[in-house]
Amino acid sequence: MIMRTEVPRRLTVLGSTGSIGTNTLDVVRQLGGRDAFEIMALTGNGNIELLAEQARKFGARLAVTADENRYAALKDALCGSGIAVAAGMSGLDEAAGLDADWVMAAIVGTAGLAPTLRAARRGANIALANKECLVSAGELFLDAVGTGGGQLIPVDSEHSAIFQCLDRNQRHALERIILTASGGPFRAYTREQMAGVTLQAARSHPNWSMGLKISVGSATMFNKAFEMIEAKHLFGVRPEQIEVVVHPQSVIHSMVGYVDGSVIAQLGVPDMRTAIGYALSYPDRSALDVERIDFSKLARLDFEAPDEARFPALRLARTALERGGLQGAVLNGAEEAAFAAFVAERIGFLGMAEVVEAVMDQLTDIGPAGEIADVVQADVEARRRAREVVGRMAAA
């Protein structure tokens, strides 16, 4: 079904070769392709073959590789296509600055922060899938959105659910936000069992099909910790209004509770294209070829409180929210360094949270983010200290 628009929406996808990016382009295809969207720019990193294929298929004006060393390869792959090519941070900045109505912000890591801020400041509507924008630089990013005047639509399934459940005319009656978590593959494990978890086991999510980083983050519940911080910024709630409940079936994506006791939930089969389609079609809804819930076959919906002794990431998120300032950037940087150490088999599964907590305790008084350089500096310092902690743990 072609999305109903008088003229094609101009779209840039920052991070088109990752899982969010490829699903975004599948949604674009479903909604009418070039009849519904004019692709201004696509950006990727090392997968030049896929990036070039996407750029040709969707008629992008500009293709960018974040890896400056791959510029020549991308140039060769798009030779004769008429598609402009750029590379590095300057290329990402160029892509973000193009006159796209909508920008899908799906670059993983701090590399996505600067181009997303650039797009927000010029007034683009941001479909946000990059967690660093809010976890590491929440106030800075929201200021940029406010300055530009564009809309901010979350793409993460939980935040999309909350966005859909919120009654814009009843924000004063909002009592709580309830983020659901699948619990990951180790929901029923003891700490002793979790100590022996391998990378292969951690990457196998029971419900969602995701990349390695997100899959491991779901297993540790650091993903949910980041979502707590994002929710605070996205919806303007106090930390104590944010709750997490484990829901193994991942059918209810999140809920909103109001002061009259009502709770409104958003349900759907686990498929990130639903939230992506909602963001790209907003404020309308467009038909998508995704699986529908068959309630006659839905035997049960289970809920349980998360165990913060086994999943300390949630406690660390609350600590970051209480401390404020750049604690989100510290949490994020330390977690990414700890994740890299786990992948390299330098620390065990439980060691990731231990590294993050140690770094946060070392950087308790780090100040607010006045500009993006402050965020980058906090991130670099957190990663440096995390590597030091990992080194001591590995040597013990």
Side-chain angles (χ1 to χ4, degrees), residues 158 161-162 165 174 176-180 243 245 247 252-258 263-267 303:
E158 288 81 1
I162 294 164
C165 292
L174 174 64
R176 56 181 175 149
I177 281 173
I178 306 152
L179 295 165
T180 58
E243 302 177 13
V245 64
H247 169 49
I252 295 178
H253 298 308
S254 276
M255 298 171 273
V256 173
Y258 290 95
V263 176
I264 298 176
Q266 189 265 341
L267 287 70
F303 304 93

Side-chain angles (χ1 to χ4, degrees), residues 281-302:
S281 302
Y282 186 81
D284 298 322
R285 290 183 184 267
S286 300
L288 289 175
D289 182 18
V290 296
E291 184 181 350
R292 269 53 173 175
I293 294 177
D294 185 343
F295 284 96
S296 67
K297 296 179 180 178
L298 193 63
R300 56 189 291 173
L301 295 175
D302 297 308

Side-chain angles (χ1 to χ4, degrees), residues 5-331:
T5 57
E6 293 182 3
V7 295
R9 282 188 170 181
R10 298 189 302 275
L11 173 67
T12 285
V13 183
L14 301 174
S16 67
T17 58
S19 59
I20 294 291
T22 54
N23 277 282
T24 296
L25 292 178
D26 182 63
V27 169
V28 167
R29 177 192 60 78
Q30 289 193 43
L31 298 183
R34 297 193 192 189
D35 291 329
F37 292 92
E38 179 183 358
I39 303 301
M40 304 297 287
L42 298 176
T43 81
N45 191 31
N47 195 339
I48 299 301
E49 182 179 354
L50 177 57
L51 178 59
E53 178 187 329
Q54 292 174 336
R56 287 179 180 273
K57 180 178 180 179
F58 291 94
R61 291 191 186 182
L62 171 69
V64 178
T65 171
D67 185 350
E68 293 182 336
N69 295 323
R70 305 303 302 276
Y71 173 80
L74 182 59
K75 188 81 170 175
D76 289 344
L78 290 173
C79 181
S81 66
I83 298 171
V85 174
M89 289 305 296
S90 62
L92 294 177
D93 184 73
E94 181 181 353
L98 292 180
D99 190 24
D101 306 308
W102 289 83
V103 172
M104 171 61 73
I107 296 176
V108 175
T110 52
L113 182 55
T116 307
L117 278 169
R118 168 88 155 91
R121 284 176 177 140
R122 69 164 180 79
N125 297 308
I126 306 294
L128 186 66
N130 170 282
K131 66 180 171 61
E132 282 76 13
C133 287
L134 291 173
V135 173
S136 300
E139 293 179 4
L140 196 65
F141 180 68
L142 291 180
D143 285 346
V145 173
T147 298
Q151 299 182 89
L152 177 60
I153 312 295
V155 171
D156 179 271
S157 62
E158 288 81 1
H159 297 130
S160 176
I162 294 164
F163 189 88
Q164 294 178 59
C165 292
L166 277 175
D167 185 337
R168 303 302 184 276
N169 297 317
Q170 295 293 324
R171 290 298 294 269
H172 62 283
L174 174 64
E175 184 174 69
R176 56 181 175 149
I177 281 173
I178 306 152
L179 295 165
T180 58
S182 70
F186 313 126
R187 177 176 60 87
Y189 275 38
T190 64
R191 275 189 64 84
E192 290 72 23
Q193 290 174 308
M194 293 168 75
V197 163
T198 64
L199 175 62
Q200 185 59 38
R203 71 192 306 167
S204 303
H205 195 278
N207 300 330
W208 295 88
S209 176
M210 304 178 293
L212 175 62
K213 179 66 173 68
I214 300 175
S215 295
V216 174
S218 176
T220 59
M221 293 193 76
F222 267 110
N223 282 0
K224 203 58 51 181
F226 295 136
E227 288 170 15
M228 293 167 65
I229 298 173
E230 290 175 275
K232 184 260 185 186
H233 292 295
L234 277 169
F235 307 114
V237 294
R238 302 184 305 276
E240 61 269 23
Q241 291 179 284
I242 302 168
E243 302 177 13
V244 175
V245 64
V246 174
H247 169 49
Q249 291 86 1
S250 297
V251 171
I252 295 178
H253 298 308
S254 276
M255 298 171 273
V256 173
Y258 290 95
V259 293
D260 62 357
S262 300
V263 176
I264 298 176
Q266 189 265 341
L267 287 70
V269 172
D271 189 327
M272 65 180 69
R273 292 176 299 175
T274 302
I276 292 169
Y278 177 80
L280 295 186
S281 302
Y282 186 81
D284 298 322
R285 290 183 184 267
S286 300
L288 289 175
D289 182 18
V290 296
E291 184 181 350
R292 269 53 173 175
I293 294 177
D294 185 343
F295 284 96
S296 67
K297 296 179 180 178
L298 193 63
R300 56 189 291 173
L301 295 175
D302 297 308
F303 304 93
E304 60 190 63
D307 182 352
E308 295 189 6
R310 290 184 298 127
F311 298 99
L314 303 179
R315 172 175 55 79
L316 296 177
R318 295 198 185 281
T319 298
L321 285 168
E322 290 167 4
R323 291 176 181 171
L326 283 164
Q327 278 293 297
V330 171
L331 170 63

